[in-house]
Amino acid sequence: LAAIVDDFLQFARPKKPSFHKEDINKLLSDVVHRYKNWNGKKIQLVEQYEDNIPPVSLDRHQIQQVITNLLLNSLDAMEDGGTLTITTRRYKKMSEDMVRIMVADSGIGISEEDITKIFQPFYSTKEKGTGMGLAICRRIVNEHGGEISVESTVGKGTTFSVILPIHKENLITKKGV
């Protein structure tokens, strides 16, 4: 009950992001290596970080929270082990510099019915899930001027993509903050 209330309050009264320039590849590597032990699961970790990504304006704590949630969901989806791939890519979207972070697993996948609901608050397919993790992730990514999406095939795995603008100045201009 306490976890549900905490998640709800975090969703209902979110903290404003505190933007600072960060090395996104180092941030991801730090988060991934916290979970290196994988709770005894046979997980093959693949890290594919593009070298030419400049520092990204973001709230370190909030983006760590997003990546941690995606990693834990991936680990839950691979009960019998599998491959977890973390990738970064730089690209331009309508002349804006962006970074795409992909968290891909070879787990059980998400059904078409569930995939349409997974970002909704309180929706969970997990027995002990609160259904707030992905809703909070979406809110954080949106507040960073980014997007989060998912592709999945039942029995083959799931890939979450987080797209963030590299420069905070662009975010300020777009949002009028």
Side-chain angles (χ1 to χ4, degrees), residues 2-177:
I4 292 170
V5 171
D6 286 345
D7 284 348
F8 174 74
L9 289 175
Q10 186 175 5
F11 183 76
R13 292 186 295 188
K15 278 180 34 180
K16 292 271 184 224
S18 176
F19 293 96
H20 301 281
K21 291 191 181 237
E22 297 281 349
D23 179 336
I24 193 69
N25 292 337
K26 179 160 180 10
L27 184 150
L28 292 170
S29 182
D30 291 348
V31 172
V32 167
H33 290 280
R34 275 191 219 145
Y35 297 95
K36 193 77 173 184
N37 143 348
W38 312 119
N39 294 325
K41 294 181 182 179
K42 294 178 181 146
I43 304 292
Q44 177 186 354
L45 174 64
V46 179
E47 293 176 276
Q48 300 173 330
Y49 303 134
E50 195 167 285
D51 290 335
N52 68 341
I53 300 173
V56 179
S57 293
L58 53 81
D59 183 307
R60 180 178 184 81
H61 175 72
Q62 289 185 0
I63 296 302
Q64 284 176 328
Q65 182 179 356
V66 169
I67 300 306
T68 297
N69 187 285
L70 297 178
L71 287 175
L72 293 176
N73 285 348
S74 288
L75 293 175
D76 286 348
M78 296 186 291
E79 277 297 316
D80 299 324
T83 302
L84 177 61
T85 305
I86 314 297
T87 308
T88 57
R89 294 284 177 262
R90 181 179 181 181
Y91 73 101
K92 288 214 184 277
K93 179 179 179 184
M94 297 185 344
S95 78
E96 184 173 7
D97 278 330
M98 308 291 280
V99 61
R100 179 188 305 263
I101 303 161
M102 289 170 282
V103 178
D105 67 62
S106 62
I108 59 173
I110 304 169
S111 74
E112 280 186 48
E113 180 183 340
D114 289 333
I115 214 162
T116 63
K117 301 174 189 171
I118 61 172
F119 291 107
Q120 295 175 7
F122 303 110
Y123 183 80
S124 180
T125 59
K126 298 179 186 179
E127 188 176 312
K128 294 184 180 183
T130 63
M132 295 302 290
L134 289 174
I136 291 169
C137 287
R138 175 174 267 174
R139 181 192 44 77
I140 289 171
V141 171
N142 287 345
E143 287 181 354
H144 278 73
E147 307 166 18
I148 186 169
S149 61
V150 62
E151 293 178 18
S152 188
T153 303
V154 174
K156 298 206 178 197
T158 301
T159 300
F160 279 91
S161 293
V162 174
I163 299 171
L164 298 172
I166 289 176
H167 304 290
K168 181 177 182 243
E169 299 78 36
N170 294 348
L171 181 60
I172 289 172
T173 303
K174 281 184 171 176
K175 298 234 174 182
V177 176

